[in-house]
Amino acid sequence: MDKNKIIGFKYVPLFNSKTDHYLLSVIIVGLTALICAPLSNTQSYHVVSFILLFVTSFMATFMGIGPVLLAATLSALVWNYFFIPPHYTFHIDKAEDILMFGMFFIIALLNGVLTTRVRKQERLARDREKRTNALFQLTKELSKARGIDEVLGVAIEDIKTHFSTDSFFIMQNGNNVLLSSGRLQKEKKLSQDEYQAADWVFQHCREAGKFTDVRSAVNYTFFPLRGTRINPGVVAINLDRQLQGDKKVFWDTYLAQISNALEREFLGELAQKARFLDESDKLYKTLFNSISHELRIPVATILGAADTLLASPHPRNVRSALLHEIFTASLRLNRLIENLLNMSRLESGRISVRLDWYDLNDLVNKVTEDLKDELKPFSLEISVPEEMPLVKIDFGLMEQVLYNLLFNSCEYAPVSSAIGLNMSYQDGELIMQIMDRGPGFPEEAMKNVFKKFFRVEGSKTGGLGLGLSIVKGFVEAHKGIISVENRPNGGALFTIRIPSENPGIEKNQLQNQ
């Protein structure tokens, strides 16, 4: 009989028990024979055979086939030598005893083999149940994971738990080029030989490395992460022995689940990048067209007026009008450039606030003087209390805040309407309010008012949509807040609150000194 017995499609070693089990089987049979010794000189020696048969069957519940066969053989020989007359010989006189001896040996042998096989099938069933449960838990955890890094974290932890080995995943870069280090474990970098093995696995979708026929000199075994549409990468594990049989099937199934999850997240990441690039491209085109349009108008005005002045002599009033147009276009061009530069400063985090004590009347006078032409068609109502203390602000930044808000009101408020500017100081805060009677903002647009490049649909053409976002950035640089609301009878109301100490010195005291 072959030492290997075929079970299903798998060769299972028949004698695979530990050495101590063989010794234990000898001891148990010996003790059983010693206990049954008083029955050796009676006609009840057949009872001994049943006792030994029971002991052999009991041993089969926790021992392998080898020790059970040894116990069955020893039990038959002990029963023959010590209990079947004539004693202390292997000779049997009675035919029924010969038959009983043969039946005993066969029954003990079959009982041991069958019991051991049942035990083995039970163990295999338990192993399959554990593996099925492990795959179920893996699928459950992977379904909850969001993003490649979370999937890899789950995979690395579960491989450590169920296969008792460390692993790390080498992903591709989206252009079918394998990276040289782990996605999560960036400190793990492949040597040149290891990278060549990993890249071969990625290109050929076959395992390579340790315990394989391809590049077996490296320390890792590399397995491909196969996807239905794209292969996300390669996994490397450090094995002590080759995966075989059921464990290899379990590993392949386990890896397939991980590969599917990684492919899903990898494709999602690529799609997100594609959407981001598409949105960036659209934003670039929109910004480029808008800037081109905004630049073209003042530049064309300047070129046209300058060309007219240079072409031929003109009366003084015509020259004055043309020069005024050049000056106005230059201001518009300068405002556009300043807004772009300010947005660049805000996004780069290079805004530095230089706080000092200032009189708000100086701020208001400076801004209204700069906007005198824009404010002419409107009724500007300014309210600054006489007892208003000095406030600690960055004059340059707050000048641009107030300038942008007033200019915004001039752009959208109807001609001859009132524009209000109120200043107050309450509970350690400077409060500035700018209000107009323009169209206000649609409710759905209120949350986006201060976002860069945002423009209300159907609003007046011109501008880049940067003014209010710059205002918000400069106010927040003062650790302040800005809010907007629609006025009950039409128009918008901007409220700025900036924390400022009270110097305890009145302005008129400073003026009298």
Side-chain angles (χ1 to χ4, degrees):
M1 183 178 176
D2 192 4
K3 280 182 83 174
N4 293 327
K5 191 171 180 74
I6 300 176
I7 299 178
F9 296 100
K10 179 182 176 184
Y11 284 91
V12 180
L14 194 59
F15 300 95
N16 59 354
S17 300
K18 296 179 181 179
T19 305
D20 54 354
H21 281 190
Y22 287 95
L23 181 60
L24 183 60
S25 65
V26 173
I27 294 173
I28 291 175
V29 171
L31 289 175
T32 304
L34 188 61
I35 293 171
C36 296
L39 301 175
S40 62
N41 295 321
T42 66
Q43 294 299 316
S44 302
Y45 61 88
H46 293 96
V47 177
V48 177
S49 67
F50 296 116
I51 295 174
L52 290 170
L53 187 61
F54 172 77
V55 170
T56 303
S57 300
F58 176 75
M59 292 168 60
T61 60
F62 63 91
M63 290 187 180
I65 295 179
V68 171
L69 289 178
L70 177 61
T73 304
L74 286 177
S75 297
L77 294 177
V78 166
W79 182 56
N80 183 1
Y81 190 78
F82 291 103
F83 296 95
I84 298 177
H87 298 153
Y88 311 116
T89 67
F90 292 105
H91 178 71
I92 303 176
D93 289 334
K94 298 179 181 180
E96 61 268 24
D97 290 340
I98 295 175
L99 180 61
M100 186 66 183
F101 174 80
M103 291 297 295
F104 172 82
F105 185 79
I106 293 172
I107 291 172
L109 179 62
L110 289 176
N111 190 32
V113 171
L114 292 175
T115 304
T116 303
R117 180 172 293 181
V118 169
R119 223 167 32 86
K120 185 171 293 184
Q121 293 299 328
E122 181 185 2
R123 186 175 65 252
L124 291 174
R126 283 199 304 269
D127 290 343
R128 282 195 293 269
E129 183 180 356
K130 288 180 181 177
R131 290 170 181 173
T132 301
N133 183 62
L135 289 171
F136 172 76
Q137 293 298 328
L138 175 67
T139 304
K140 185 178 178 181
E141 292 174 3
L142 291 176
S143 65
K144 294 180 181 178
R146 291 293 177 267
I148 293 179
D149 290 347
E150 285 191 23
V151 171
L152 291 179
V154 170
I156 291 169
E157 186 65 28
D158 280 20
I159 289 174
K160 179 70 173 178
T161 301
H162 296 291
F163 297 93
S164 301
T165 184
D166 293 325
S167 61
F168 71 99
F169 290 77
I170 306 102
M171 308 297 293
Q172 61 148 301
N173 63 357
N175 296 315
N176 283 326
V177 177
L178 201 65
L179 302 176
S180 60
S181 61
R183 166 84 181 228
L184 285 184
Q185 309 102 314
K186 297 186 183 299
E187 72 282 357
K188 291 187 176 181
K189 294 188 178 293
L190 300 176
S191 65
Q192 185 176 358
D193 291 340
E194 290 169 345
Y195 179 78
Q196 290 176 353
D199 189 58
W200 187 92
V201 171
F202 180 68
Q203 298 297 334
H204 294 83
C205 281
R206 287 175 51 198
E207 62 188 74
K210 192 176 180 181
F211 301 121
T212 68
D213 297 331
V214 180
R215 300 185 182 273
S216 57
V218 298
N219 296 324
Y220 293 102
T221 306
F222 297 95
F223 295 89
L225 298 171
R226 298 185 181 91
T228 55
R229 296 173 58 188
I230 190 172
N231 296 331
V234 172
V235 58
I237 58 176
N238 194 353
L239 296 172
D240 295 329
R241 63 185 67 181
Q242 188 176 5
L243 296 174
Q244 292 180 332
D246 289 345
K247 197 162 187 178
K248 181 64 166 64
V249 174
F250 178 48
W251 166 255
D252 290 340
T253 308
Y254 212 80
L255 197 58
Q257 295 287 337
I258 296 171
S259 299
N260 291 336
L262 283 174
E263 181 188 24
R264 178 194 70 212
E265 297 299 331
F266 194 80
L267 289 173
E269 194 174 273
L270 290 179
Q272 186 176 6
K273 287 181 180 178
R275 286 194 299 270
F276 177 77
L277 290 174
D278 184 56
E279 291 297 324
S280 298
D281 185 57
K282 289 180 181 177
L283 180 61
Y284 169 78
K285 290 179 180 177
T286 302
L287 181 60
F288 181 80
N289 291 335
S290 182
I291 291 177
S292 299
H293 175 75
E294 288 298 312
L295 289 174
R296 188 181 296 115
I297 294 175
V299 169
T301 301
I302 293 171
L303 288 175
D307 183 64
T308 303
L309 286 171
L310 293 173
S312 60
H314 296 280
R316 183 170 181 176
N317 61 334
V318 174
R319 289 174 57 85
S320 178
L322 291 173
L323 289 172
H324 186 266
E325 284 188 12
I326 292 174
F327 180 72
T328 303
S330 300
L331 288 178
R332 181 174 179 177
L333 192 60
N334 182 66
R335 185 165 56 249
L336 173 64
I337 294 172
E338 278 191 358
N339 279 342
L340 290 172
L341 291 176
N342 286 332
M343 181 53 62
S344 176
R345 290 169 62 199
L346 283 171
E347 291 191 336
S348 64
R350 292 200 298 266
I351 290 289
S352 58
V353 181
R354 296 178 175 85
L355 299 177
D356 204 347
W357 298 105
Y358 290 100
D359 184 351
L360 282 180
N361 287 292
D362 295 339
L363 177 66
V364 172
N365 293 334
K366 176 67 169 61
V367 174
T368 53
E369 177 64 23
D370 291 343
L371 287 170
K372 62 181 180 181
D373 291 335
E374 287 81 358
L375 289 169
K376 277 181 181 178
F378 304 95
S379 172
L380 180 62
E381 300 173 356
I382 301 174
S383 174
V384 181
E386 291 185 4
E387 66 276 10
M388 185 76 183
L390 300 178
V391 291
K392 207 169 191 180
I393 57 173
D394 184 312
F395 192 90
L397 295 185
M398 291 309 299
E399 179 187 348
Q400 294 186 58
V401 167
L402 190 56
Y403 184 99
N404 279 339
L405 290 175
L406 285 176
F407 182 81
N408 192 70
S409 294
C410 293
E411 287 285 296
Y412 295 99
V415 175
S416 300
S417 64
I419 296 177
L421 173 59
N422 297 336
M423 302 285 186
S424 62
Y425 184 85
Q426 297 177 11
D427 301 324
E429 282 186 333
L430 162 65
I431 301 174
M432 301 173 60
Q433 290 185 315
I434 298 91
M435 60 198 80
D436 58 52
R437 288 299 179 185
F441 297 95
E443 287 300 322
E444 63 274 9
M446 295 295 279
K447 61 182 179 180
N448 299 317
V449 167
F450 296 106
K451 289 185 178 180
K452 61 182 178 179
F453 306 121
F454 175 76
R455 293 176 55 81
V456 177
E457 188 175 351
S459 61
K460 182 180 177 181
T461 58
L464 297 177
L466 293 177
L468 293 181
S469 60
I470 291 171
V471 166
K472 183 174 185 290
F474 285 175
V475 169
E476 290 179 346
H478 283 80
K479 297 183 169 39
I481 57 173
I482 182 171
S483 60
V484 62
E485 58 186 285
N486 289 321
R487 300 176 70 187
N489 297 322
L493 169 63
F494 289 90
T495 302
I496 297 172
R497 295 178 178 271
I498 295 176
S500 174
E501 306 171 37
N502 190 332
I505 302 175
E506 299 298 331
K507 291 181 292 182
N508 54 9
Q509 290 178 329
L510 291 175
Q511 293 170 356
N512 293 332
Q513 289 179 356

